[in-house]
């Protein structure tokens, strides 16, 4: 298992491989993550209880997914999340939209922060297609990792701000990547995703993203886990600016 994971993380050329027992365990942790995230969204768990449950779940996931000797600096080959787009033309506000102050993943009543970057596509008529190519815009995995949770059936009545989303855990960076406002999702929980893999297509899902005034974009966030396995926002602007552009 250790050798397989080392190969996966360093070279990123094959999918997640494990015994059926290990895969079942991973999926059970994905279910725990999903259940907790839903409970936070509905307010059925207190922030303190949510943070404790999150810490325990992420510690378990990290235990089966990470080995120190399998992660090296030169393995970090990041891919810009929108196929065919450069960072300069896509990142909203030249990175000034990143506002981490006040962020709390566990308290749904906390608002006003934006610890993420909005990555815009050319879609003036809001038809979810690139204005130049006439085709949907692929969302690509920024880095390698394990899909922990997805939402692919968002409806406006839910009032959820993120719409359709994907959570991916990167064991080398020890953090969670969150992609939101997605139209179509092409991955499932438990999948190992290599950097640059297609994980979905740009969309307009989410409470504010559906509104006419909102330009079509991908909400992109990274939360690094601290020594207690709790999420801390980290600015990905420099990473995005130097990421490899695919399909350009």
């Amino acid at each position: 298992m250790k050798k397989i994971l080392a190969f996966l993380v360093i070279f990123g050329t094959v999918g997640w491989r494990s015994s059926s027992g290990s895969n079942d365990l991973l999926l059970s942790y994905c279910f725990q993550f999903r259940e907790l995230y839903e409970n936070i969204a509905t307010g059925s768990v207190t922030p303190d209880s949510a943070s404790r449950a999150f810490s325990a779940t992420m510690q378990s996931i990290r235990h089966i997914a990470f080995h120190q000797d399998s992660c090296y600096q030169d393995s970090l080959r990041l891919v810009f999340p929108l196929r065919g787009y450069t960072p300069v033309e896509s990142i909203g506000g030249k990175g000034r939209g990143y506002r981490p102050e006040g962020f709390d993943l566990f308290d749904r009543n906390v608002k006003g922060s934006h610890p993420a970057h909005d990555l815009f596509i050319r879609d003036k008529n809001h038809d979810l297609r690139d204005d130049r190519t006439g085709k949907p815009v692929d969302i690509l995995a920024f880095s390698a990792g394990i899909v922990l949770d997805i939402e692919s059936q968002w409806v406006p009545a839910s009032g959820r701000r993120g719409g359709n989303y994907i959570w991916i855990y990167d064991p080398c960076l020890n953090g969670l990547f969150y992609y939101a406002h997605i139209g179509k999702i092409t991955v499932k929980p438990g999948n190992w995703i290599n950097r640059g893999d297609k994980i979905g297509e740009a969309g307009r899902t989410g409470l504010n993203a559906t509104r006419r005034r909102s330009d079509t974009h991908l909400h992109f966030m990274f939360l690094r886990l601290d020594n207690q396995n709790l999420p801390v926002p980290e600015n990905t602007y420099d990473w995005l600016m130097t990421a490899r552009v695919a399909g350009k």
Side-chain angles (χ1 to χ4, degrees):
M1 181 67 172
K2 182 174 181 179
K3 291 181 179 179
I4 292 173
L5 281 172
F7 183 82
L8 288 175
V9 176
I10 295 173
F11 297 103
T13 55
V14 295
W16 172 271
R17 295 179 184 174
S18 63
S19 66
S20 59
S22 296
N23 193 54
D24 289 344
L25 184 60
L26 174 62
L27 288 175
S28 73
Y29 293 144
C30 292
F31 176 79
Q32 289 179 26
F33 185 95
R34 169 73 177 192
E35 185 175 39
L36 175 60
Y37 194 59
E38 284 296 303
N39 288 339
I40 293 170
T42 58
S44 58
V45 62
T46 66
D48 286 346
S49 295
S51 65
R52 288 194 295 270
F54 181 93
S55 176
T57 298
M58 292 313 304
Q59 182 176 10
S60 298
I61 292 171
R62 180 168 169 76
H63 179 72
I64 66 170
F66 175 78
H67 292 283
Q68 184 66 43
D69 61 356
S70 67
C71 294
Y72 300 97
Q73 283 297 108
D74 61 1
S75 70
L76 192 62
R77 300 183 298 274
L78 304 172
V79 176
F80 195 72
L82 296 176
R83 187 187 301 278
Y85 282 77
T86 66
V88 172
E89 68 183 324
S90 180
I91 300 175
K94 297 182 179 179
R96 292 188 294 270
Y98 180 84
R99 302 186 307 275
E101 296 78 11
F103 172 78
D104 189 340
L105 181 66
F106 310 119
D107 189 346
R108 67 171 184 161
N109 294 316
V110 174
K111 299 177 182 178
S113 67
H114 188 263
H117 290 286
D118 290 335
L119 310 180
F120 293 88
I121 70 169
R122 297 177 290 267
D123 182 24
K124 289 186 177 181
N125 61 0
H126 296 174
D127 68 350
L128 307 185
R129 295 176 180 273
D130 180 275
D131 291 339
R132 295 179 184 174
T133 68
K135 298 178 180 180
V137 177
D138 290 342
I139 299 171
L140 309 177
F142 186 61
S143 74
I146 301 165
V147 178
L148 296 185
D149 184 24
I150 68 169
E151 174 58 64
S152 59
Q153 302 296 323
W154 179 84
V155 293
S158 71
R160 303 283 182 86
R161 287 179 288 176
N164 291 336
Y165 63 75
I166 302 171
W167 283 100
I168 296 178
Y169 173 64
D170 182 324
C172 282
L173 294 176
N174 191 29
L176 295 162
F177 285 98
Y178 175 70
Y179 306 74
H181 306 324
I182 302 172
K184 178 182 178 181
I185 291 176
T186 57
V187 294
K188 297 179 180 179
N191 288 164
W192 175 271
I193 302 301
N194 299 311
R195 54 188 63 84
D197 282 355
K198 178 178 177 177
I199 59 176
E201 295 175 1
R204 297 180 57 80
T205 60
L207 186 60
N208 293 324
T210 59
R211 294 174 178 171
R212 187 68 188 173
R213 69 170 187 268
S214 178
D215 292 327
T216 308
H217 66 278
L218 172 70
H219 179 91
F220 179 74
M221 176 175 69
F222 177 62
L223 304 176
R224 193 183 295 276
L225 301 185
D226 64 14
N227 57 11
Q228 296 181 329
N229 295 301
L230 295 176
V232 179
E234 187 164 323
N235 194 341
T236 59
Y237 182 76
D238 289 343
W239 289 352
L240 287 166
M241 289 298 294
T242 57
R244 178 172 63 86
V245 174
K248 187 70 175 179

